[in-house]
Amino acid sequence: MRAGRLNKKIDIQRKTITQDNYGQEIESWSNISARRSASVSPVKAEERYTADQFVARQQLEFVCKKSDNIATLNPLDRIIHPAIDADASPQDVITDDRVFDIMAVFELGRGEGFRILAARRPEQ
């Protein structure tokens, strides 16, 4: 894997469920890898008419080097692209157009990296 091709920055996040004082579940996301170098390539884009509305969907392929903190990467995780600036608060800058749900994770070579297929969340 050539480092020069890893020219974009992404954040990889994992969902955690906690409970508030009343027992209600609270969903939150935390970075398992922040500002990770990756290559980004378009895979597919489509627009469908369903439930009396048009729904657009974009799929991207992310390639990044393997490390211990993302060794258990799976479809329950998500990618933020482009990555959040170090000075910004995640709640202020994460919008649906930056969130990509991971659909599949493939190991490259003999553990040198990951090929991650992800889809942008449909417009709400």
Side-chain angles (χ1 to χ4, degrees):
M1 180 177 318
R2 300 184 68 144
R5 295 178 188 229
L6 306 178
N7 60 354
K8 304 292 186 205
K9 296 291 185 189
I10 63 172
D11 293 330
I12 301 174
Q13 297 183 333
R14 182 158 289 157
K15 178 170 54 173
T16 56
I17 304 288
T18 57
Q19 291 185 347
D20 65 10
N21 295 337
Y22 303 104
Q24 296 290 329
E25 290 186 349
I26 300 171
E27 177 182 297
S28 62
W29 293 88
S30 58
N31 284 342
I32 59 173
S33 183
R35 304 201 44 82
R36 173 173 286 279
S37 296
S39 69
V40 180
S41 306
V43 174
K44 182 176 164 183
E46 63 186 359
E47 188 172 74
R48 293 184 181 182
Y49 187 75
T50 181
D52 295 331
Q53 63 183 0
F54 282 103
V55 177
R57 181 174 169 158
Q58 177 189 23
Q59 293 178 10
L60 294 180
E61 174 187 79
F62 298 89
V63 175
C64 61
K65 289 185 178 181
K66 188 174 181 178
S67 66
D68 289 341
N69 59 341
I70 64 167
T72 60
L73 196 61
N74 64 67
L76 298 176
D77 301 327
R78 71 181 187 179
I79 292 176
I80 307 299
H81 170 66
I84 300 166
D85 291 331
D87 300 336
S89 166
Q91 292 78 17
D92 295 337
V93 295
I94 294 180
T95 57
D96 282 342
D97 64 334
R98 295 176 75 164
V99 177
F100 289 83
D101 294 318
I102 295 176
M103 300 177 349
V105 180
F106 304 99
E107 192 169 349
L108 296 174
R110 295 186 174 175
E112 67 181 67
F114 286 119
R115 178 176 164 246
I116 306 163
L117 297 179
R120 182 177 298 202
R121 291 188 173 175
E123 297 174 8
Q124 301 297 326

